[in-house]
């Protein structure tokens, strides 16, 4: 199938949002009220400097979902979850979040005319994400506990009170998120050999696999990728095989000790002959800085886990392979980490003269 998009008088294609673009693959009907911010259609960017570190004619690209409307891949799932909630007559939604889900839930809920309630772990949400949720109008509740406890609470709230849960246990979230795999295949003409992805609650790795399998069944790609998932060492239950009671990592978006989609993720790893591996905070930071300083791509720290992990297992990459690393969020989500870990100096107090500026520049 060739994706057909509407055009303007100048024959430029107009992106209609992912539900309209991939309607035939999504559980929507003609009467579903589509709530969209024109999410999706994010770029697949070659990263030659990183590919050179591997050699062997390997091709590496990053799927930069930080260019979605609220700055993360969560928008893909939220357009579906909120549209279906509105179709069912919901007046309010609720989620637990390490930040990105809260921003997306708030934006789409408000666009749909709904209330948005968000539970976050107190002190563990990057300020950029918290600011978004508040400005969008979410009712943010910070609990004295971690994400896993927040998720337990909202799961129970959704069964006892008139609020719709929009975490990734909501099946419509994964239906929306699977469209990223469609876009990868549409851009490459086939599935990649490897798909490297950060893993927190494990919904996204599950969704990508759904998308690749659906396109494969439709004959739109002739292979399926190995799914390579990467967790932070301090929050790596899929590697240790048991929940982490007190997960710790600077990559707050994947600071999750008991993934809601654990069993599904293990099934994906098995079916794709993939792997789960852990990366340290230092390895995540190194990849985060590398992406920015050599490729010009500013992602949030958790996103860089995909690149850090790929580099960690680079000896396993076949010659001539095509690798896609998923960058889940924008770097502006977490400006504090960028400022704290920048390798460049910030020179202040310079006299406002050409001579002073030139001297400071080393001329």
């Amino acid at each position: 199938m060739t994706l057909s998009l509407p055009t303007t008088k100048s024959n430029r294609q107009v992106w209609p949002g992912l539900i309209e673009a991939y309607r035939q693959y999504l559980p929507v009907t003609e009467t579903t009220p589509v709530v969209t911010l024109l999410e999706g259609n994010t770029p697949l960017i070659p990263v030659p400097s990183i590919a050179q570190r591997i050699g062997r004619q390997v091709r590496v690209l990053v799927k930069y979902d930080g260019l979605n409307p609220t700055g993360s891949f969560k928008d893909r799932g939220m357009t579906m979850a909120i549209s279906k909630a509105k179709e069912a007559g919901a007046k309010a939604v609720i989620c637990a979040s390490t930040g990105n889900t809260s921003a997306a839930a708030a934006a789409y809920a408000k666009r749909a005319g709904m209330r948005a309630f968000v539970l976050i772990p107190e002190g563990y949400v990057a300020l950029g994400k918290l600011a978004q949720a508040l400005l969008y109008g979410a009712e943010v509740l910070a609990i004295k506990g971690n994400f896993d406890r927040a998720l337990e609470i909202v799961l129970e709230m959704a069964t006892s009170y008139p609020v719709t849960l929009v975490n990734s246990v909501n099946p419509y979230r994964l239906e929306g998120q699977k469209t990223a795999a469609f876009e990868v295949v549409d851009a490459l003409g086939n599935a990649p050999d490897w798909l490297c992805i950060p893993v927190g609650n494990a919904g996204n790795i599950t969704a990508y696999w759904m998308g690749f399998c659906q396109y494969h069944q439709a004959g739109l790609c002739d292979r399926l990728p190995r799914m390579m998932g990467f967790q932070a060492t301090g929050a790596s239950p899929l590697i240790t095989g048991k929940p982490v009671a007190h997960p710790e990592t600077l990559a707050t978006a994947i600071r999750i000790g008991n993934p809601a989609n654990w069993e599904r993720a293990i099934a994906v790893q098995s079916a794709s002959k993939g792997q789960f591996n852990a990366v340290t905070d230092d390895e995540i930071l190194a990849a985060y800085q590398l992406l920015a300083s050599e490729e010009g791509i500013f992602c949030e720290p958790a996103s860089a886990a995909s690149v850090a992990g790929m580099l960690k297992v680079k000896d396993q990459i076949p010659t001539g392979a095509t690798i896609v690393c998923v960058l889940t969020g924008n770097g502006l989500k977490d400006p504090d980490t960028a400022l704290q870990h920048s390798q460049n100096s910030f020179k202040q107090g310079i006299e406002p003269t050409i001579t002073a500026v030139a001297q400071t520049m080393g001329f």
Side-chain angles (χ1 to χ4, degrees), residues 126 250-252 285 288-289 298 301 334-342:
L250 63 79
T252 55
L285 279 174
Y288 170 69
Q289 292 164 339
F298 186 26
D334 189 358
D336 285 352
T337 297
L339 291 171
Q340 291 169 14
H341 298 281
S342 171

Side-chain angles (χ1 to χ4, degrees), residues 31-358:
T31 60
T32 302
V34 176
V35 182
T36 182
L37 291 167
L38 303 186
E39 59 294 310
N41 196 31
T42 57
L44 190 63
I45 308 171
V47 283
S49 178
I50 291 172
Q52 286 175 5
R53 283 170 162 74
I54 300 167
R56 301 193 302 281
Q57 299 177 316
V58 169
R59 183 185 181 199
V60 183
L61 307 98
V62 294
K63 180 62 170 167
Y64 189 27
D65 254 0
L67 293 183
N68 273 299
T70 77
S72 87
F73 77 99
K74 303 287 187 175
D75 294 349
R76 293 183 179 276
M78 213 55 73
T79 184
M80 274 296 304
I82 298 297
S83 294
K84 296 300 285 187
K86 189 173 179 67
E87 184 176 32
K91 303 299 182 185
V93 299
I94 192 169
C95 68
S97 180
T98 56
N100 284 329
T101 299
S102 66
Y108 283 82
K110 290 302 178 176
R111 192 162 179 90
M114 301 177 189
R115 296 178 74 184
F117 295 94
V118 175
L119 265 67
I120 63 172
E122 190 171 314
Y124 285 97
V125 170
L127 289 180
K129 303 173 188 180
L130 179 58
Q132 282 183 284
L134 291 170
L135 196 60
Y136 290 138
E139 298 172 62
V140 180
L141 311 174
I143 66 163
K144 296 177 180 178
N146 60 25
F147 169 84
D148 301 296
R149 179 57 187 144
L151 183 58
E152 291 170 1
I153 292 171
V154 298
L155 284 166
E156 189 169 340
M157 291 286 296
T159 61
S160 305
Y161 297 91
V163 290
T164 298
L165 184 67
V166 291
N167 279 101
S168 60
V169 291
N170 179 322
Y172 297 120
R173 279 279 310 277
L174 301 189
E175 287 289 333
Q177 287 169 214
K178 76 183 181 185
T179 60
F182 298 164
E183 291 178 20
V184 168
V185 175
D186 288 342
L188 292 177
N190 208 339
D193 295 291
W194 281 22
L195 192 285
C196 297
I197 189 167
V199 176
N201 219 23
N204 214 24
I205 190 170
T206 305
Y208 265 90
W209 184 245
M210 287 169 56
F212 285 126
C213 287
Q214 196 165 1
Y215 251 30
H216 187 257
Q217 290 164 4
L220 297 172
C221 58
D222 62 15
R223 64 188 182 203
L224 292 168
R226 290 187 71 187
M227 302 295 285
M228 306 293 284
F230 300 100
Q231 296 194 295
T233 300
S236 54
L238 294 175
I239 290 92
T240 63
K242 58 185 179 181
V244 178
H246 303 288
E248 292 294 342
T249 173
L250 63 79
T252 55
I254 54 174
R255 186 181 173 269
I256 296 170
N258 190 15
N261 295 282
W262 188 315
E263 292 183 4
R264 288 177 173 180
I266 294 297
V268 168
Q269 179 261 325
S270 176
S272 72
K273 299 181 173 58
Q275 295 178 14
F276 290 113
N277 288 284
V279 285
T280 66
D281 280 4
D282 284 346
E283 289 167 334
I284 290 171
L285 279 174
Y288 170 69
Q289 292 164 339
L290 176 62
L291 280 160
S293 64
E294 295 196 20
E295 301 289 4
I297 299 169
F298 186 26
C299 65
E300 68 171 311
S303 294
S306 61
V307 173
M310 179 197 64
L311 292 173
K312 190 166 188 172
V313 298
K314 65 181 182 180
D315 291 345
Q316 299 180 36
I317 297 174
T319 298
T322 296
I323 314 293
V324 170
C325 295
V326 177
L327 303 183
T328 48
N330 197 295
L332 293 173
K333 294 279 192 171
D334 189 358
D336 285 352
T337 297
L339 291 171
Q340 291 169 14
H341 298 281
S342 171
Q343 295 178 325
N344 294 317
S345 60
F346 175 34
K347 299 178 176 67
Q348 303 181 68
I350 302 165
E351 291 298 322
T353 67
I354 293 175
T355 300
V357 170

